[in-house]
Amino acid sequence: MLAAGAATVSVVLWASAFVSIRSAGDAYSPGALALGRLLAGALALGVFCVVRREGRPPRSAWRGIAISGLLWFGFYMVVLNWGEQQVDAGTAALVVNVGPLLIALLGARLLGDPMPPRLLAGMAVSFGGAVTVGLSMSGGDGSSLLGVVLCLLAAVAYAAGVVAQKPALARASALQVTAFGCLVGAVVCLPFAGQLVREAADAPLSATLNMVYLGVFPTALAFTTWAYALARTTASRMGATTYAVPALVVLMSWLALGEVPGPLTLAGGVLCLAGVAVSRSRPRARTSRATAAEPRPESVS
């Protein structure tokens, strides 16, 4: 139950990130926004590590931390920010939702994750819902090929980062893996420091606050709760939970931005959530027929 609650926190906060990125994206370029977000996240995580007296992770965990920090915290955030400037939100959500399928394939190949029929069925239903949401939200101007390629690269980086992070969680705590992965991502994005300083001087306060929010909540908190849940289940099952993000983004955009979803968008959101429910469910334990048919022993009088 704790792992399921942690995964829910991550999914909700990551969905809220789409709204904040949209608000901050007009004032900050993709690299500067990623660096500012990671610096805020690293600072918050550093405070948590000091309070909890978390030391450095063991050397055996550093390979997974470094790969996930480079790909998921660094490369993914920059490329996704850039891709969303080239294509509409619906197309971006559709392409990035290739990620859970890649996680399942990589997890089965590299980590030996099982692929039960319920997981495959749930992922198929959720992917259909993501496609429906993406098509319903897509504009009529056509999608930029560059934007589609960037979002596809983001999905690949996200999947590879999750699979690399899983073994590290067997050797280090969720907070250690998240904090040092975020720090690696911030170091990777340091070439954008000049842009961040220049743009922060001209950016409105609301955009800067959105960037800080992205660092503290969808990064520091959500990535930590994700790592906590990932350490207690398979990468494939965790990846399937992120199919709920498009449905939540539709709801949050409706409430925060006044973007009223159409019937097709709502139907796609319901499919996303239904698929997650199927993929997270477990088959009921069945009592064998032999046991059920076995006669009770007669009492001795």
Side-chain angles (χ1 to χ4, degrees), residues 20-39:
S20 292
I21 289 174
R22 184 168 183 176
S23 300
D26 293 334
Y28 288 98
S29 59
L33 180 58
L35 177 59
R37 174 180 179 175
L38 289 167
L39 289 175

Side-chain angles (χ1 to χ4, degrees), residues 246-261:
L248 295 176
V249 170
V250 170
L251 177 61
M252 291 179 181
S253 298
W254 187 0
L255 297 177
L257 303 176
E259 297 179 348
V260 181

Side-chain angles (χ1 to χ4, degrees), residues 89-151:
T91 302
L94 170 60
V95 177
V96 172
N97 266 286
V98 174
L101 295 175
L102 297 177
I103 290 174
L105 295 175
L106 290 174
R109 177 69 176 175
L110 301 178
L111 303 177
D113 286 351
M115 298 285 287
R118 284 173 179 260
L119 176 60
L120 294 175
M123 293 180 70
V125 173
S126 289
F127 186 71
V131 170
T132 303
V133 171
L135 294 177
S136 66
M137 296 175 63
S138 298
D141 298 332
S143 299
S144 164
L145 178 60
L146 174 61
V148 172
V149 171
L150 290 170
C151 290

Side-chain angles (χ1 to χ4, degrees), residues 44-250:
L45 288 164
V47 172
F48 281 124
C49 285
V50 171
V51 171
R52 292 182 56 84
R53 297 182 180 180
E54 294 271 1
R56 290 181 299 176
R59 184 178 300 178
S60 58
W62 267 104
R63 180 181 179 183
I65 292 174
I67 294 175
S68 65
L70 171 65
L71 294 178
W72 197 10
F73 286 87
F75 184 78
Y76 168 83
M77 291 190 182
V78 176
V79 173
L80 180 61
N81 291 343
W82 187 8
E84 288 190 353
Q85 290 185 352
Q86 306 294 322
V87 298
D88 54 82
T91 302
L94 170 60
V95 177
V96 172
N97 266 286
V98 174
L101 295 175
L102 297 177
I103 290 174
L105 295 175
L106 290 174
R109 177 69 176 175
L110 301 178
L111 303 177
D113 286 351
M115 298 285 287
R118 284 173 179 260
L119 176 60
L120 294 175
M123 293 180 70
V125 173
S126 289
F127 186 71
V131 170
T132 303
V133 171
L135 294 177
S136 66
M137 296 175 63
S138 298
D141 298 332
S143 299
S144 164
L145 178 60
L146 174 61
V148 172
V149 171
L150 290 170
C151 290
L152 182 59
L153 289 175
V156 173
Y158 152 53
V162 170
V163 174
Q165 190 185 62
K166 175 65 174 176
L169 289 168
R171 301 171 175 85
S173 68
L175 183 56
Q176 287 175 325
V177 171
T178 305
F180 285 88
C182 185
L183 185 60
V184 170
V187 171
V188 170
C189 293
L190 280 179
F192 301 106
Q195 293 181 11
L196 177 61
V197 172
R198 290 193 300 270
E199 293 171 6
D202 300 327
L205 180 60
S206 59
T208 302
L209 290 177
N210 272 295
M211 182 174 65
V212 173
Y213 169 82
L214 286 168
V216 174
F217 292 98
T219 302
L221 179 56
F223 274 77
T224 302
T225 53
W226 168 273
Y228 175 86
L230 180 61
R232 289 156 176 81
T233 186
T234 65
S236 302
R237 190 175 293 275
M238 279 299 295
T241 62
T242 61
Y243 273 123
V245 170
L248 295 176
V249 170
V250 170

